[in-house]
Amino acid sequence: MNGDDTAAPSAPPPPPLEWKFSQVFGERAAGEEVQEVDIISAIEFDKSGDHLATGDRGGRVVLFERTDTKDHGGSRRDLERMDYPIRHPEFRYKTEFQSHEPEFDYLKSLEIEEKINKIRWCQTANGALFLLSTNDKTIKFWKVQEKKVKKISEMNLDPSKAVGNGSVASSSNSTSPKPYLANGGSPDRSYSYLSNDFSFPPGGIPSLRLPTVVSSPETSLVARCRRVYAHAHDYHINSISNNSDGETFISADDLRINLWNLEISNQSFNIVDVKPANMEDLTEVITSAEFHPTHCNMLAYSSSKGSIRLNDLRQSALCDSHSKLFEEQEAPGSRSFFTEIIASISDIKFSKDGRFILSRDYMTLKLWDINMDAGPVSTFQVHEYLRPKLCDLYENDSIFDKFECCLSGDGMRVATGSYSNLFRVFGCAPGSTEATTLEASKNPMRRQVQTPSRPSRSLSSITRVVRRGADSPGVDANGNSFDFTTKLLHLAWHPSENSIACAAANSLYMYYA
């Protein structure tokens, strides 16, 4: 995965990982109905892996923080050196906030739903967390910070010396059993501030008595929307991606990609525009876009025709002409009615070092080397047993489901979701035959059957591996009946450890290996 010379003797591939259940948040009881607004629609780890964010169809963003590293401090490597027992990543609920609300576009008579399409973490500063979240039309920049809770300390009024109206104000540490109302009044009529026998004490009231406000040692998390980036997209936003320069980000819809500065919300630059002069000439749309992880001038975007374009912002301000095009040539005689639909790429991700791009279309995962545009380095069949069922999937619209994909931090493995709440993990190191099927449940290996891999075939010194599961048409890879209604669309791999977070409807499952 790191581009070493192929002539050198290659190390044996790492053994397949054994995945174990770690945690579940929002687990539903058997037979419990899932509310539409609670279904998770986005998952993202931050760069450190210490925080995890999820977005749902109700427009909420929920944050989780890691707890297992706080107890004893030190990095994982340091703890291994100390022979400290390593525990798997554990997270706890941190906070949640309402990111987006349903809106209505009166000019277009269009409802804009609150569903969170994507979340991206930004650089932290001064102990505060920053993140971008977007629905179909509006991107928001959030700051989440711990603030000290301010409390009213005990009043400096001595109730025993109070007269008239003063007697209704109690010291906060008073043991008096009398109930007092919010405005300082008392339900006891004899203490009513409407009493006509109110009188000033002889010599008048010596001083004005006020409570004092002090900061307590307690803290609360406050999420504040810092900026709103709106009115820049005519079509639904499908991607946002922050730049490695820490100052800019892109947002992509079906036909355009815009470049924003985080500090400027009322202006963006259109850098990709695939809209034809005549909309009848439209042949493809943008499906996903992402900045290169280290080169701030490079970005990639995928299309509904199964191609990936790599663009260089240094070449021109408008990146309509790509610097590289990655697409796989269609095998002669393989074309069918569904060919173009299943070729559409739903998600792309760069590897951590930026050398590879992982793409997910309906049937496969493909790994591309950015230095080699002849074809993918590896192709992984996710659910080949569905091919005979494409007609049914088209009828119930499942063929248009958009599955996400992710790479491990070391670039040795890739993962993506499927139906029946299953997800697949493939090894992409040279010679690896790892192809694991897991279920999003407390027993992830329940459906596990080691599926045979096809032998790899070598093309002009480049190994292209195709891996697939069983081909029985009526069942899934492991002989179980198939459920199109439960699909695992969203998942994320921890940036530095073998830990995966995935969403099954409204439940967030976490696994480690």
Side-chain angles (χ1 to χ4, degrees):
M1 282 294 298
N2 48 16
D4 293 338
D5 187 358
T6 50
S10 58
L17 294 176
E18 189 179 328
W19 292 92
K20 299 180 185 73
F21 169 78
S22 171
Q23 287 172 283
V24 58
F25 295 95
E27 185 184 23
R28 64 182 188 276
E32 183 186 341
E33 197 171 325
V34 179
Q35 298 296 315
E36 178 83 9
V37 292
D38 294 332
I39 294 175
I40 297 171
S41 56
I43 300 181
E44 187 78 6
F45 280 105
D46 72 347
K47 273 189 178 169
S48 69
D50 289 340
H51 293 92
L52 175 68
T54 66
D56 64 25
R57 292 190 187 179
R60 290 172 303 232
V61 172
V62 183
L63 304 185
F64 301 89
E65 67 176 347
R66 189 165 176 178
T67 57
D68 60 301
T69 53
K70 292 188 174 181
D71 300 340
H72 34 68
S75 70
R76 187 181 179 92
R77 192 168 293 167
D78 294 339
L79 295 171
E80 284 171 350
R81 210 173 285 133
M82 291 159 49
D83 215 19
Y84 199 99
I86 297 298
R87 292 187 293 173
H88 61 83
E90 285 179 10
F91 285 79
R92 73 174 176 202
Y93 169 87
K94 186 178 178 78
T95 188
E96 67 180 88
F97 55 90
Q98 189 70 34
S99 172
H100 288 72
E101 301 278 0
E103 297 173 60
F104 191 81
D105 187 332
Y106 293 98
L107 290 174
K108 297 181 180 176
S109 293
L110 192 71
E111 282 186 21
I112 303 166
E113 59 180 358
E114 65 272 38
K115 184 187 105 173
I116 305 293
N117 290 344
K118 285 284 186 289
I119 296 172
R120 288 290 180 267
W121 290 91
C122 303
Q123 290 179 352
T124 57
N126 301 327
L129 303 172
F130 294 89
L131 46 93
L132 290 164
S133 63
T134 184
N135 66 352
D136 286 338
K137 295 287 180 183
T138 307
I139 305 156
K140 294 186 179 182
F141 183 52
W142 291 91
K143 178 182 183 181
V144 182
Q145 193 174 27
E146 283 192 348
K147 295 234 170 159
K148 286 193 173 173
V149 177
K150 291 191 174 174
K151 286 188 172 179
I152 295 175
S153 73
E154 58 183 64
M155 298 198 185
N156 57 355
L157 176 66
D158 183 354
S160 62
K161 296 179 183 174
V163 179
N165 197 25
S167 63
V168 302
S170 161
S171 164
S172 64
N173 65 348
S174 168
T175 56
S176 168
K178 293 189 182 72
Y180 295 108
L181 302 178
N183 317 346
S186 165
D188 185 341
R189 297 298 299 167
S190 64
Y191 286 89
S192 170
Y193 57 88
L194 297 174
S195 171
N196 293 324
D197 60 352
F198 177 84
S199 61
F200 283 96
I205 298 175
S207 63
L208 185 63
R209 307 289 183 179
L210 290 175
T212 53
V213 179
V214 295
S215 290
S216 76
E218 296 174 37
T219 58
S220 70
L221 280 159
V222 179
R224 220 175 82 233
C225 183
R226 295 290 303 275
R227 282 177 198 86
V228 177
Y229 313 89
H231 314 303
H233 288 278
D234 290 331
Y235 303 92
H236 289 179
I237 297 170
N238 55 48
S239 303
I240 50 174
S241 177
N242 7 21
N243 198 342
S244 56
D245 64 9
E247 296 179 1
T248 55
F249 71 93
I250 52 170
S251 59
D253 66 20
D254 292 343
L255 299 179
R256 293 190 178 95
I257 300 177
N258 293 333
L259 178 69
W260 302 82
N261 188 302
L262 281 166
E263 301 295 322
I264 303 165
S265 60
N266 59 357
Q267 184 182 34
S268 66
F269 296 95
N270 179 231
I271 55 174
V272 175
D273 189 346
V274 299
K275 185 178 181 181
N278 181 1
M279 282 296 276
E280 289 179 5
D281 299 331
L282 183 69
T283 58
E284 63 181 332
V285 294
I286 297 166
T287 56
S288 183
E290 189 166 78
F291 261 122
H292 190 281
T294 54
H295 298 324
C296 61
N297 54 287
M298 285 172 66
L299 64 109
Y301 69 91
S302 60
S303 85
S304 57
K305 275 196 163 178
S307 59
I308 301 169
R309 290 171 173 84
L310 196 64
N311 289 31
D312 192 335
L313 291 166
R314 296 173 300 186
Q315 287 184 341
S316 65
L318 192 63
C319 303
D320 284 346
S321 58
H322 51 268
S323 53
K324 275 192 179 178
L325 174 68
F326 304 95
E327 60 183 352
E328 191 166 30
Q329 296 307 313
E330 199 179 298
S334 64
R335 192 166 185 80
S336 74
F337 172 76
F338 304 110
T339 302
E340 275 195 26
I341 300 174
I342 63 173
S344 176
I345 294 173
S346 55
D347 191 26
I348 59 169
K349 293 278 188 340
F350 274 99
S351 60
K352 200 172 182 178
D353 60 3
R355 172 69 187 272
F356 294 87
I357 298 174
L358 180 67
S359 69
R360 169 70 203 262
D361 57 44
Y362 189 67
M363 299 297 287
T364 66
L365 269 177
K366 292 187 174 83
L367 191 67
W368 307 79
D369 186 332
I370 65 168
N371 296 335
M372 189 191 86
D373 50 12
V377 180
S378 300
T379 300
F380 308 99
Q381 305 287 4
V382 178
H383 39 216
E384 188 62 20
Y385 41 84
L386 285 184
R387 202 171 285 278
K389 290 188 155 306
L390 288 178
C391 197
D392 298 339
L393 292 159
Y394 179 76
E395 290 292 326
N396 63 21
D397 282 348
S398 294
I399 202 167
F400 302 107
D401 287 334
K402 291 175 168 47
F403 291 94
E404 292 178 2
C405 58
C406 56
L407 294 103
S408 61
D410 59 8
M412 289 292 189
R413 293 173 180 85
V414 295
T416 191
S418 180
Y419 293 99
S420 299
N421 281 345
L422 300 178
F423 63 101
R424 310 289 311 274
V425 178
F426 299 97
C428 50
S432 174
T433 58
E434 184 174 352
T436 311
T437 303
L438 301 145
E439 183 183 40
S441 68
K442 287 187 172 178
N443 182 8
M445 308 295 279
R446 184 173 65 177
R447 299 219 188 185
Q448 174 58 25
V449 174
Q450 197 60 40
T451 52
S453 301
R454 274 190 173 178
S456 60
R457 15 181 209 121
S458 185
L459 269 96
S460 62
S461 82
I462 296 148
T463 306
R464 303 186 189 192
V465 185
V466 179
R467 232 157 286 153
R468 61 196 296 168
D471 286 337
S472 56
V475 294
D476 68 15
N478 301 314
N480 298 294
S481 58
F482 216 71
D483 182 4
F484 297 131
T485 59
T486 55
K487 44 198 155 199
L488 201 149
L489 301 176
H490 311 286
L491 77 173
W493 201 302
H494 190 282
S496 57
E497 297 178 26
N498 287 322
S499 176
I500 291 178
C502 56
N506 64 331
S507 303
L508 175 68
Y509 285 92
M510 306 194 72
Y511 303 95
Y512 70 99

